[in-house]
Amino acid sequence: MGRKIIIVGGVAGGATAAARLRRLDEEAEIILLERDEHISFANCGLPYYIGGTIQDRSKLLVTTPEMMKKRSRIDVRVKSEAISVNTKEKSVTIRQNGEDTYEEHYDVLILSPGAKPIRPGIEGIDNPRILSLRNIHDTDQMKSVVDLDTVKEVTVIGGGFIGVEMAEVLTERGLRVTLVEASSHILAPFDDDVVTIAEKEMQDNGVRLLLGDPVTKFNTTDDGGINIFLKSGKSHHADLVVLAIGVAPDTAFLKDSGIELGTKGHILVNEHLQTNCDGVYAVGDAIEIPDFITGRKTAVPLAGPANRQARIAANHIAGMPSSKYDGAQGTSILKIFGLTAASTGSNERTLRRNGVPYHVALVHPGSHAGYYPGAEPLTLKLIYDEQGKVLGAQGLGRDGVDKRIDVIATVIRLKGTIQDLTDLELAYAPPYSSAKDPVNMAGFVAQNDLSGMSPLITLEDIKQRNPEKSILLDVRSVQEYESGHIPNSVNIPLDELRDRLDELDSSKKLLVYCQVGFRGYTAVRILHQNGFNAVNLTGGYKYFKAASFTPDR
């Protein structure tokens, strides 16, 4: 018998590590401990089972203890919770079925305890109708409540991925849904100027959004319902509250183990996923990892990174030292009714917080050739530095968002630049794309920015402009201008610009905009070659209009 390897926790991290280890080492004794009864399930699919899109509960179970035991000869122990770790003795204390405890010694230990939903100490939060969603047990409990005929109104607390997905699926079940978010916007990976597209989609589909207004108290009503009180003084009633305000690493059992933890309780690991203790590795939602863009420590509780980490840890344990984890980009995607929202890399908020200078380019291309039926507009935001290195991207639209973000995520992983985006030869036929793919277009716009051909500005620059030293110039048609424009702008249509240059003050900076950015680019080229200092509002009026959306209260 080979080395004894104990794995604490299943699902994306632990179960993946166990399967990979067996494929690499037929002789190892592998013990997988899981405190629940399910070792591997599709946690990203849980909201869709509650909503009814996935109707067969068994489809959520990726593999069972019996399957793993039979196929991989792994000693799977469900309802077995690791309650402490002694790294000096190399032992784990295990509680079986919530009662008896025993010890197991290890040669190698892999920690994959995951994270648990945050439940803050808000008055009234212990009401049994205030539920969180993390595992199969939570799913069954929540679905049993949602299925009741008496449940008509639901409040979702938290505008992260789970909160937004739950708001969607419950709305589609015919329930009246209110989403409460303490921050000013939902979906933290997206910047404030584009996430409004997602917020409008939610409101248009019937979700009431209460943003920037944290919960202060819950109160149980006589009929078993819940009154939710907000900081603003507002309150409303719900038959069910879904609590989705984030997760915290489930690492309390490691308190006296000697394993080094971060300030928020995350396990600290090196590039091989090793902790500071001999023979102990850690993967998944409970670890602190480097941000691939900034290099700063962060936590990314996503299934994709957990799977990669599990494979790398298993490789290293099996004697493959070149296998290293170099950080997470946080690439993610979600469905919001008819909209797709996806992101990768850093957003503006993260870069500002870390003092990283950056540029921004927005484009609004079609998902495929405009002359072929069914093309849908999408918004693609690209973030890059002064040297052209791609730092991040965000995309929102009804078709083709996923493949564009995946392409940019690949370029980021390969440490590529905006030049690489322009050079990519991507698959093209009218039903699928355009001869210049949206990814290429984003690269072209960024190139024009850095080269000085058409320097870009954002809405923040418009807000901070000095009216005494600048002119806000709208180069759209008169009809477009009259139907809506940015306040305090003057209108000279692009086709008249060359003949009306004498109307502009050459001593002032010209902040140019059109509908989506292309006419603004052309205008800037004309102005530059006639001695004017001009810049182009990236994304144009469409960007301004989308970013100006405010949910109904």
Side-chain angles (χ1 to χ4, degrees):
M1 184 66 70
R3 290 176 299 173
K4 185 175 183 178
I5 303 171
I6 296 180
I7 303 173
V8 176
V11 201
T16 299
R20 176 67 174 171
L21 277 167
R22 175 56 74 217
R23 288 192 288 270
L24 297 174
D25 187 347
E26 186 66 19
E27 299 301 318
E29 178 186 359
I30 303 173
I31 300 172
L32 176 60
L33 306 175
E34 172 54 54
R35 67 182 173 190
D36 296 322
E37 58 183 305
H38 304 288
I39 60 166
S40 185
F41 58 89
N43 47 4
C44 296
L46 302 183
Y48 301 104
Y49 172 64
I50 295 171
T53 303
I54 299 171
Q55 297 188 358
D56 185 349
R57 181 179 178 276
S58 67
K59 298 292 186 182
L60 298 172
L61 305 178
V62 178
T63 189
T64 65
E66 293 72 28
M67 290 169 59
M68 185 162 273
K69 288 177 182 178
K70 184 176 181 180
R71 180 167 297 176
S72 299
R73 197 166 49 82
I74 291 170
D75 183 356
V76 179
R77 303 180 188 179
V78 295
K79 297 184 179 180
S80 298
E81 181 180 8
I83 58 174
S84 67
V85 173
N86 186 329
T87 54
K88 293 181 179 178
E89 299 294 328
K90 288 197 168 185
S91 66
V92 180
T93 302
I94 303 161
R95 181 186 291 128
Q96 182 74 33
N97 293 316
E99 299 176 356
D100 300 331
T101 62
Y102 65 97
E103 283 191 354
E104 283 283 1
H105 285 79
Y106 63 83
D107 296 307
V108 177
L109 175 65
I110 302 177
L111 299 170
S112 182
K116 57 186 177 182
I118 295 172
R119 290 184 74 89
I122 299 174
E123 181 181 343
I125 200 169
D126 293 331
N127 186 301
R129 287 284 184 92
I130 301 176
L131 302 176
S132 298
L133 181 64
R134 187 65 182 172
N135 54 35
I136 295 292
H137 172 74
D138 296 340
T139 303
D140 292 338
Q141 186 180 18
M142 191 176 295
K143 192 172 190 305
S144 68
V145 176
V146 171
D147 287 346
L148 296 174
D149 292 337
T150 54
V151 174
K152 305 294 184 184
E153 298 191 51
V154 179
T155 293
V156 177
I157 311 294
F161 279 37
I162 294 296
V164 169
E165 289 172 346
M166 286 303 304
E168 176 196 15
V169 300
L170 295 176
T171 298
E172 290 181 337
R173 280 197 59 153
L175 303 179
R176 293 187 294 274
V177 178
T178 298
L179 188 148
V180 177
E181 169 56 50
S183 299
S184 56
H185 291 283
I186 63 173
L187 298 173
F190 295 83
D191 286 313
D192 295 352
D193 55 358
V194 293
V195 76
T196 49
I197 299 171
E199 292 167 353
K200 184 176 187 302
E201 179 72 9
M202 295 191 74
Q203 181 175 282
D204 288 349
N205 282 275
V207 178
R208 181 188 181 201
L209 296 175
L210 299 178
L211 306 179
D213 204 357
V215 175
T216 58
K217 183 174 69 172
F218 298 105
N219 181 38
T220 304
T221 61
D222 293 338
D223 62 357
I226 307 157
N227 286 329
I228 300 102
F229 297 87
L230 306 180
K231 187 177 181 179
S232 64
K234 293 182 179 181
S235 65
H236 64 278
H237 175 272
D239 303 309
L240 167 68
V241 170
V242 177
L243 196 63
I245 60 174
V247 295
D250 199 356
T251 56
F253 73 104
L254 299 174
K255 181 180 179 182
D256 299 316
S257 66
I259 296 170
E260 190 174 357
L261 304 178
T263 56
K264 295 183 179 180
H266 294 91
I267 304 167
L268 304 185
V269 295
N270 64 14
E271 61 188 359
H272 300 298
L273 288 311
Q274 294 170 298
T275 70
N276 62 305
C277 293
D278 180 52
V280 181
Y281 293 72
V283 301
D285 295 357
I287 72 171
E288 192 174 271
I289 55 176
D291 182 299
F292 186 77
I293 303 298
T294 66
R296 301 291 180 89
K297 293 296 184 180
T298 188
V300 180
L302 296 173
N307 273 285
R308 287 180 55 226
Q309 294 156 15
R311 182 181 177 90
I312 289 168
N315 288 349
H316 194 261
I317 291 167
M320 304 165 75
S322 63
S323 193
K324 299 178 181 180
Y325 188 74
D326 55 0
Q329 296 166 229
T331 305
S332 53
I333 189 168
L334 76 160
K335 173 183 172 294
I336 310 171
F337 297 98
L339 189 75
T340 298
S343 68
T344 187
S346 292
N347 58 20
E348 290 192 66
R349 192 181 308 111
T350 300
L351 294 171
R352 285 196 300 267
R353 186 171 63 245
N354 288 285
V356 179
Y358 63 88
H359 290 247
V360 171
L362 275 100
V363 293
H364 304 290
S367 57
H368 61 247
Y371 57 82
Y372 188 89
E376 294 281 358
L378 58 88
T379 294
L380 192 58
K381 178 175 183 175
L382 184 69
I383 306 175
Y384 48 97
D385 68 14
E386 189 69 31
Q387 288 71 46
K389 181 180 178 182
V390 183
L391 303 176
Q394 298 155 48
L396 300 102
R398 300 186 181 281
D399 182 42
V401 171
D402 52 346
K403 68 178 181 178
R404 272 73 192 214
I405 291 297
D406 281 343
V407 168
I408 298 174
T410 304
V411 170
I412 291 175
R413 179 57 57 170
L414 297 176
K415 300 181 179 179
T417 67
I418 57 175
Q419 179 68 46
D420 295 311
L421 297 182
T422 65
D423 289 342
L424 288 174
E425 185 177 329
L426 302 173
Y428 161 61
Y432 303 105
S433 185
S434 301
K436 298 175 184 176
D437 188 87
V439 170
N440 301 134
M441 291 303 301
F444 294 146
V445 172
Q447 269 188 336
N448 288 335
D449 174 33
L450 292 187
S451 69
M453 289 276 289
S454 181
L456 299 175
I457 57 171
T458 66
L459 288 178
E460 192 61 31
D461 298 306
I462 297 289
K463 293 175 185 176
Q464 295 180 0
R465 79 182 184 94
N466 184 343
E468 300 298 321
K469 296 182 179 181
S470 63
I471 298 171
L472 186 55
L473 177 62
D474 186 325
V475 296
R476 298 175 301 156
S477 68
V478 173
Q479 292 80 5
E480 288 174 293
Y481 181 83
E482 290 178 347
S483 66
H485 57 268
I486 301 177
N488 302 313
S489 60
V490 297
N491 178 224
I492 300 179
L494 175 62
D495 293 342
E496 301 174 15
L497 183 60
R498 290 183 178 88
D499 297 327
R500 297 175 60 182
L501 292 175
D502 58 348
E503 298 178 27
L504 298 171
D505 186 345
S506 61
S507 69
K508 293 185 177 182
K509 188 173 185 177
L510 301 179
L511 312 183
V512 181
Y513 75 90
C514 63
Q515 187 65 19
V516 297
F518 182 71
R519 281 176 289 176
Y521 160 59
T522 304
V524 166
R525 295 306 307 139
I526 294 170
L527 292 165
H528 278 189
Q529 295 174 79
N530 282 277
F532 290 88
N533 179 11
V535 292
N536 188 19
L537 173 62
T538 190
Y541 183 73
K542 184 174 182 179
Y543 169 42
F544 167 80
K545 190 71 173 175
S548 301
F549 170 77
T550 302
D552 297 335
R553 300 291 290 185

